[in-house]
Amino acid sequence: MPAVLTAVPSAAPGDVQLVGRALARDGDAFRTIIKTHNQRLYRIARGVVRNDSEAEDIVQEAYVRAFAHLEAFRGDSSLATWLSRIVINEALGRLRKRRRTVALPENPQAEIIRFPLNPSDDPERTMAQRQILQLVERATDSLPDVYRTVFVARVIEGLSIEETADLLGVRPQTVKTRLHRARALVRKALDDQIGPVLLDAFPFAGRRCERLTSAVMRRLGLES
């Protein structure tokens, strides 16, 4: 069994029930798991590979892998963390494979996610929001891998130092050191006033969420 599937402490009681239903091939349970965790897993995957479509593919593969090993989830772990570690493992594997076949440039051109903004908003405000979000995305995408993954987990996903350390398999002090460096790098590109918008970065909703959910359900044979 791959090490990434090892459970970690502090599971929610509802996780055990939900996984039990999924093990019984309850389609609604699978769908609930997917929709509950889609956004976090997508943002983590994209934080590693910096590519929209590849991140979506990584999350889909991670779900299929996780669902094939659901019996490994014993209820003594957080389902969110368990799934996140599988996504991290899959994403890092993609990076290693990519680097074996393609020499990456020093400053690769980031693929920027276009955020849906409310068309009823004031046009000048909408334009400013879009520009700020693009700065956040570019600044995050430009971080070296070891810093970017920590930054996405801690700042964008809001995980604790301990949760991030467990997720990445490093010491808490390492997380603190990398996060300090990541923030210093991001500050070079961002105005001090845009911090509050970080939680809106890398959304996963609407058609993208439905598309990935349907794709996984079809691969599980639970949807035609």
Side-chain angles (χ1 to χ4, degrees):
M1 187 70 62
V4 72
L5 295 174
T6 302
V8 294
S10 70
D15 286 348
V16 180
Q17 298 176 0
L18 195 58
V19 169
R21 288 170 51 201
L23 285 169
R25 302 293 290 177
D26 182 337
D28 287 339
F30 283 109
R31 188 176 294 277
T32 297
I33 291 172
I34 295 168
K35 289 195 171 184
T36 298
H37 299 285
N38 263 348
Q39 180 162 310
R40 167 179 283 189
L41 299 183
Y42 170 75
R43 293 197 296 199
I44 288 174
R46 194 192 178 282
V48 175
V49 299
R50 295 179 289 181
N51 181 282
D52 298 3
S53 60
E54 187 173 11
E56 192 171 334
D57 184 56
I58 286 168
V59 175
Q60 184 179 149
E61 290 299 321
Y63 276 131
V64 172
R65 179 180 170 191
F67 292 149
H69 296 89
L70 271 180
E71 71 282 355
F73 185 83
R74 303 297 183 184
D76 56 352
S77 69
S78 161
L79 184 57
T81 300
W82 191 73
L83 291 170
S84 295
R85 291 180 68 186
I86 297 172
V87 166
I88 284 281
N89 189 67
E90 177 71 22
L92 292 177
R94 297 289 184 97
L95 280 186
R96 287 191 293 269
K97 183 177 180 181
R98 181 194 300 171
R99 285 166 180 163
R100 284 196 298 268
T101 56
V102 179
L104 294 178
E106 291 185 3
N107 296 298
Q109 179 65 39
E111 293 195 18
I112 304 301
I113 301 173
R114 302 301 176 186
F115 290 92
L117 297 174
N118 189 343
S120 65
D121 285 346
D122 176 77
E124 291 185 2
R125 180 182 178 184
T126 298
M127 173 95 46
Q129 288 176 332
R130 182 177 292 110
Q131 291 172 341
I132 289 171
L133 288 172
Q134 288 176 346
L135 284 174
V136 173
E137 293 167 346
R138 291 192 182 102
T140 303
D141 281 348
S142 69
L143 290 171
D145 296 343
V146 294
Y147 302 134
R148 188 174 65 254
T149 307
V150 168
F151 188 80
V152 169
R154 280 287 289 129
V155 178
I156 296 178
E157 285 306 311
L159 300 184
S160 69
I161 292 288
E162 292 71 21
E163 288 171 329
T164 303
D166 181 72
L167 177 64
L168 301 178
V170 298
R171 295 182 299 112
Q173 185 57 46
T174 301
V175 172
K176 293 178 183 178
T177 300
R178 292 179 183 178
L179 181 61
H180 177 78
R181 179 57 178 161
R183 282 174 167 162
L185 291 171
V186 168
R187 277 195 294 268
K188 293 179 181 179
L190 300 176
D191 182 271
D192 292 337
Q193 303 301 312
I194 69 172
V197 306
L198 285 176
L199 290 177
D200 292 329
F202 307 141
F204 194 98
R207 287 190 299 251
R208 188 187 295 276
C209 181
E210 289 296 332
R211 182 171 66 248
L212 193 146
T213 299
S214 295
V216 174
M217 295 295 285
R218 283 196 300 273
R219 291 183 63 174
L220 294 172
L222 296 171
E223 184 175 280
S224 59

